[in-house]
Each structure stands twice: as structure tokens, then as C-alpha cells.
Amino acid sequence: MESIQRLRRTIAIGAALALLLLPIAAFAELANWDQARVTQIAEEFADAMKDLRKEMQAAPPMTDPARQRALYVALDDIRIMSNTASLLANKLKAGEGREKTYAAWRRLDLLRRDFEENARKAMIEDAIMEKILTAGELLIRLTPYYRAEGEAAG
């Protein structure tokens, strides 16, 4: 029974992480800049990151020290991503455009990659995985405003 749950969790983690990788290949060119739309998505992303952070902080401790360490590292990634997401949303709300907010978005994209690896090692529970998917989908929606297909990541 435990091995089935572990397999199910591994598959869920793999699917979630694959969804988070999607932004790199999903868009052909930069989207036309829509300040209101990008601001709305960024605000939703910042809220999703706050929810994810709360959920991860409330997770019960793990008995495996390596998984617990990976969870702590993933939680720190989420803390930094949450702060950066709030910064991005605030800059956009203040009227800053693509060029002035690119650095914050780029930082989120880099942190996302670190988080994916740490989340995989921690084997995060299903409830948290749902929050990761929600946040990941919002980051995917921001990507075409900042990076065109074929443009190097980072």
C-alpha cells in the first residue's frame, strides 16, 4: 500500500514539475504588453505563492532527514519566490513596464528551476502539489510577456 502511494506521489510530482517546465517552449514570440493584464496575473501569482508558503510551513515534519532537508531548502526557495513575486506585483501596480520588471520576473524563473529540484527531492504531499500547480500555471501565463520561444532561459 505504501509503495503504491509513493508511486502515485512520484508521478504527481513529475507531472507538476513538467507543468512548471512548460513556459520555456510554450510561446512563439513576446506577447503584446498589456500592463493591466500582466499586473493582474502577477498579483494572482503573488497570492498563490503566499498560499503555497503557508501550506508548506504547516506540513508535518518528515522522518527521513534527507527529505526534511530538501523540504527546508524548498521552503526557503518559496520564501524568496514569494517575496520576489510581491515585488514584481508591486512594481507592475506602480506602472513599471516590461523592461523595469524583467529582472524580478527573471529571478522568479531562475528560482523556479531550483525549487523544482528541491521539491522533487522532498517528495512533497499532494495538497501542496495542488498549490504548486496553481502557482506554476500563473508563472506560465506571465512568461510570454517576458520571453519569446527560442530565447535562452536566464
Side-chain angles (χ1 to χ4, degrees), residues 47-60 71 75 78 124-132:
D47 290 342
M49 291 305 299
K50 287 175 190 168
D51 287 346
L52 174 57
R53 186 176 178 191
K54 276 188 217 171
E55 189 80 27
M56 286 186 69
Q57 287 173 330
L71 181 65
L75 184 55
I78 291 301
I124 290 175
E125 17 178 289
D126 295 342
I128 295 173
M129 222 16 98
E130 290 178 30
K131 303 264 185 205
I132 291 171

Side-chain angles (χ1 to χ4, degrees), residues 101-114:
T101 59
Y102 177 81
W105 174 84
R106 181 178 174 275
R107 171 73 51 179
L108 286 168
D109 193 44
L110 294 170
L111 289 166
R112 171 190 56 84
R113 286 183 244 147
D114 286 344

Side-chain angles (χ1 to χ4, degrees), residues 57-113:
Q57 287 173 330
M62 296 179 181
T63 56
D64 177 3
R67 286 181 58 204
Q68 184 64 49
R69 186 172 32 257
L71 181 65
Y72 287 143
V73 174
L75 184 55
D76 195 56
D77 291 339
I78 291 301
R79 178 188 59 80
I80 297 167
M81 287 179 75
S82 182
N83 291 341
T84 306
S86 293
L87 173 71
L88 176 63
N90 289 336
K91 285 178 167 234
L92 288 163
K93 198 184 309 186
E96 294 185 21
R98 181 185 348 239
E99 295 306 316
K100 288 188 175 183
T101 59
Y102 177 81
W105 174 84
R106 181 178 174 275
R107 171 73 51 179
L108 286 168
D109 193 44
L110 294 170
L111 289 166
R112 171 190 56 84
R113 286 183 244 147

